[in-house]
Amino acid sequence: MSRELSLKGRDILALEDFSAEEIRLILNTAKEMKNIVGRDIKKVPALRGKSIVTLFYEPSTRTRTSFELAGKYLGADVVNITSGTSSIVKGESLRDTLYTIEAMGVDAIVMRHKAEGAAAYAASVVSPVIVNAGDGAHAHPSQGLLNLYTIEENMGKLEGLKVAILGDVLHSRVARSDIQGMRKMGLEIHIAGPRPLLPRFLHEEEGITVHDRVEDAIEDADVVEVLRIQLERMKGGLFPSTREYARIYGLSEERLKRANKNAIVLHPGPMNRGWEISESVAYHVQSRIQEEVKNGVAVRMALFTLALMGGKHK
Ligand code: CP
């Protein structure tokens, strides 16, 4: 007997926890949600009576704002907590902060933290649905999903497409979530960047080709995704200088010409324009960087809808 697919009550910690069918359900739901985002009046009552807290220990523009808007468009009450303006500055621990939020009866906590595994820890100690909005270099599942959504929307399919991922994979939770999601959905992954920024696991994974030259990764690609150089997570010495990085690894118009002529360019943001991506490519006709942001709202609405509609069943 077939079981209806449901994500009700599921924590969203990493894409490795989701099957291809579940990712397909999220992408299809996001398509419905995008119709709402495009309306003049965006509010629907789907999550009226539900409450969501965003708990951010690291800075964010796109992720926090789009989760907040996603919750509000669905009619939920959304409250934002950032580490600098809460009792975290008085030394309150993560565990006590989570207990405090749980005690107020919230249905979901969207959490960003510098420690890998922080979201999984939260899911193990409190009952609200936990949505990982980035934990160190480990995972950023909603970014991985919005990238898949943007690729499919532009290319009409996912399976069999060639994706080039360029740059600082070592520090990138986005790259890890991309790789997990893209492999499940049948994309062919090519990676290039400075060797010290390419973690060992890439060389051992089936379905990933690692190149020394970015030109080789980009050749005939359908999608070119550029990663941010995460200077804040580096102790230094992993590449000579940002100028050298731009010269050898940066995505320029010249390099982009090696991709398929209809290829799209992605970047999770925020961008270091002039370093990993040139100014002209960032605003190029093939760039879908602003679309990624727009799609992020629809994808996050889909996650809330699927995980919270009909009550908590943990
Ligand atoms: N892509 C991303 O996570 O951006 P923010 O840091 O602005 O949320």
Side-chain angles (χ1 to χ4, degrees), residues 196-229:
L197 295 180
L198 302 182
R200 188 185 297 269
F201 85 89
L202 293 175
H203 304 269
E204 293 159 3
E205 291 280 343
E206 247 178 71
I208 298 180
T209 310
V210 181
H211 302 268
D212 284 318
R213 299 169 69 247
V214 287
E215 289 81 356
D216 295 335
I218 296 169
E219 200 71 47
D220 297 328
D222 301 295
V223 179
V224 182
E225 181 175 15
V226 186
L227 301 172
R228 182 170 71 87
I229 306 172

Side-chain angles (χ1 to χ4, degrees), residues 56 59-64 112 133 140 143 173-174 268-270:
F56 275 58
S60 168
T61 299
R62 280 147 282 269
T63 311
R64 200 203 56 71
R112 173 171 285 188
H140 192 347
Q143 181 74 43
R173 52 197 175 207
V174 174

Side-chain angles (χ1 to χ4, degrees), residues 84-147:
T85 56
S86 70
S87 288
I88 295 163
V89 289
K90 301 177 198 164
E92 188 162 49
S93 69
L94 173 59
R95 184 177 185 144
D96 287 346
T97 302
L98 290 165
Y99 284 161
T100 304
I101 296 168
E102 181 184 41
M104 295 182 204
V106 308
D107 298 285
I109 301 174
V110 179
M111 192 175 134
R112 173 171 285 188
H113 199 284
K114 68 176 187 305
E116 286 154 34
Y121 170 75
S124 73
V125 295
V126 291
S127 60
V129 165
I130 301 295
V131 183
N132 184 6
D135 58 334
H138 173 236
H140 192 347
S142 61
Q143 181 74 43
L145 289 165
L146 74 88
N147 284 346

Side-chain angles (χ1 to χ4, degrees), residues 226-232 239 241-252 255 267 271-279:
V226 186
L227 301 172
R228 182 170 71 87
I229 306 172
Q230 301 200 29
L231 286 179
E232 78 278 15
F239 57 88
S241 69
T242 48
R243 198 199 313 206
E244 281 296 281
Y245 188 101
R247 190 176 65 76
I248 302 169
Y249 302 104
L251 185 62
S252 59
R255 288 195 171 118
H267 188 304
M271 290 183 275
N272 298 303
R273 269 185 288 108
W275 296 2
E276 70 261 5
I277 189 166
S278 73
E279 175 104 10

